Amino acid sequence: DGGITQSPKYLFRKEGQNVTLSCEQNLNHDAMYWYRQDPGQGLRLIYYSQIVNDFQKGDIAEGYSVSREKKESFPLTVTSAQKNPTAFYLCASSETGGGKTQYFGPGTRLLVL
Amino acid sequence: DAKTTQPTSMDCAEGRAANLPCNHSTISGNEYVYWYRQIHSQGPQYIIHGLKNNETNEMASLIITEDRKSSTLILPHATLRDTAVYYCIVTSGGSQGNLIFGKGTKLSVKP
């Protein structure tokens, strides 16, 4: 089936530790996005990539890093510089950038021990 | 992108039509209206979008007023599985391409 997969579903981070969230899509989409969602809130953009080997900061990029070495993959690293990482992380993709219909993965819930 | 205003919550009886309103009075000519929903602890799901004409698909209908300042998402026969937060988003697809999700409307479908 075509779609977006995220792993793991739950992730625990210790203080001072970097963790990486996986996002893979087999929709042949050019654009990919990472959002963060806090309880009872909407989504906020962390990073986005409109094409392979290129990515841009979103509204809340501090403490996060990404790479886009392959079209189908857009991993997000939550670094130790992110002081409040507990949240629900959502990855999305679209055919092109520019607000075209986005398709979301099931999300990864990150918790700090 | 234009801002949207939605009611915080709504109830609907199972089997009845659910009509979810959205105000977007500052919408500009090249901005689309998108609707997504998010069932608890899942990723958002695309429902429908439109520019100025009414749209219908297998999930819902979208009615946009003639002046485009408001719209209504209609779920014709709501089921318990339609209980979710519904987001109305207005976007022209700017350089970032991201969608700005507000707090949406929490729809509760009751038996």
Side-chain angles (χ1 to χ4, degrees):
Chain A
D1 284 351
I4 301 178
T5 57
Q6 290 185 242
S7 61
K9 186 171 183 179
Y10 295 95
L11 186 59
F12 298 92
R13 192 191 93 163
K14 295 179 182 179
E15 293 288 341
Q17 186 182 41
N18 293 353
V19 292
T20 298
L21 285 61
S22 169
C23 178
E24 303 278 332
Q25 54 99 358
N26 61 3
L27 301 168
N28 200 33
H29 285 172
D30 286 317
M32 297 187 75
Y33 312 82
W34 273 106
Y35 294 87
R36 169 181 170 141
Q37 187 175 34
D38 292 289
Q41 304 298 313
L43 280 65
R44 293 184 290 168
L45 183 69
I46 304 172
Y47 268 97
Y48 66 102
S49 168
Q50 296 193 351
I51 199 166
V52 175
N53 292 322
D54 184 60
F55 50 83
Q56 304 295 329
K57 292 182 179 180
D59 301 318
I60 55 165
E62 186 174 349
Y64 301 97
S65 65
V66 293
S67 62
R68 186 85 189 278
E69 297 176 2
K70 298 186 294 183
K71 187 175 186 178
E72 59 270 22
S73 179
F74 191 40
L76 173 75
T77 296
V78 184
T79 74
S80 56
Q82 173 49 247
K83 298 305 178 188
N84 185 22
T86 297
F88 190 42
Y89 291 87
L90 290 155
C91 179
S93 70
S94 64
E95 287 185 2
T96 60
K100 297 297 186 291
T101 303
Q102 293 185 17
Y103 298 90
F104 285 80
T108 292
R109 193 166 297 279
L110 177 61
L111 300 166
V112 177
L113 296 176
Chain B
D1 293 339
K3 184 177 177 180
T4 61
T5 303
Q6 300 178 253
T8 302
S9 64
M10 294 182 63
D11 290 341
C12 178
E14 188 178 19
R16 303 298 293 268
N19 296 280
L20 291 90
C22 180
N23 286 322
H24 32 79
S25 59
T26 60
I27 193 170
S28 60
N30 65 340
E31 290 184 313
Y32 287 77
V33 180
Y34 276 78
W35 282 85
Y36 283 76
R37 73 180 183 184
Q38 186 175 25
I39 296 169
H40 183 63
S41 293
Q42 296 183 22
Q45 177 189 23
Y46 166 77
I47 301 173
I48 199 168
H49 75 282
L51 183 62
K52 49 184 180 179
N53 296 325
N54 298 337
E55 302 288 343
T56 295
N57 63 21
E58 64 279 4
M59 290 183 68
S61 295
L62 173 61
I63 308 298
I64 302 174
T65 58
E66 193 168 343
D67 63 8
R68 301 186 69 236
K69 293 184 177 182
S70 66
S71 60
T72 301
L73 178 74
I74 301 173
L75 307 178
H77 305 287
T79 70
L80 299 179
R81 288 179 294 180
D82 292 321
T83 293
V85 177
Y86 287 77
Y87 298 97
C88 170
I89 300 164
V90 170
T91 180
S92 62
S95 59
Q96 285 196 158
N98 64 303
L99 301 174
I100 298 175
F101 287 75
K103 294 187 178 181
T105 296
K106 168 71 172 160
L107 175 69
S108 298
V109 181
K110 299 182 184 297

Short mmCIF file of all heavy atoms in Angstrom, two decimals, chain B residues 17 24 52 61 68:
data_model
loop_
_atom_site.label_atom_id
_atom_site.label_comp_id
_atom_site.label_asym_id
_atom_site.label_seq_id
_atom_site.Cartn_x
_atom_site.Cartn_y
_atom_site.Cartn_z
N ALA B 17 -26.82 14.56 9.59
CA ALA B 17 -25.78 15.33 8.92
C ALA B 17 -25.06 16.21 9.94
O ALA B 17 -25.69 16.83 10.80
CB ALA B 17 -26.38 16.18 7.81
N HIS B 24 -13.69 32.69 7.22
CA HIS B 24 -12.38 33.11 6.69
C HIS B 24 -12.57 34.40 5.92
O HIS B 24 -12.39 34.47 4.71
CB HIS B 24 -11.72 32.02 5.83
CG HIS B 24 -12.70 31.14 5.08
ND1 HIS B 24 -13.32 31.53 3.91
CD2 HIS B 24 -13.14 29.90 5.35
CE1 HIS B 24 -14.10 30.55 3.49
NE2 HIS B 24 -14.02 29.56 4.35
N LYS B 52 -13.66 28.06 -5.11
CA LYS B 52 -14.89 28.85 -5.03
C LYS B 52 -16.14 28.04 -5.33
O LYS B 52 -17.23 28.41 -4.87
CB LYS B 52 -14.82 30.08 -5.92
CG LYS B 52 -14.39 29.83 -7.33
CD LYS B 52 -14.29 31.15 -8.07
CE LYS B 52 -13.84 30.94 -9.52
NZ LYS B 52 -13.76 32.21 -10.26
N SER B 61 -19.02 16.97 1.74
CA SER B 61 -19.28 18.07 0.80
C SER B 61 -18.75 19.35 1.41
O SER B 61 -18.78 19.53 2.63
CB SER B 61 -20.78 18.21 0.53
OG SER B 61 -21.28 17.07 -0.15
N ARG B 68 -17.01 33.99 -0.58
CA ARG B 68 -15.88 33.16 -0.12
C ARG B 68 -15.43 33.48 1.30
O ARG B 68 -14.36 33.02 1.72
CB ARG B 68 -14.68 33.29 -1.08
CG ARG B 68 -15.00 32.89 -2.50
CD ARG B 68 -13.75 32.89 -3.36
NE ARG B 68 -12.84 31.81 -2.99
CZ ARG B 68 -11.57 31.99 -2.64
NH1 ARG B 68 -11.05 33.19 -2.57
NH2 ARG B 68 -10.82 30.95 -2.34
#
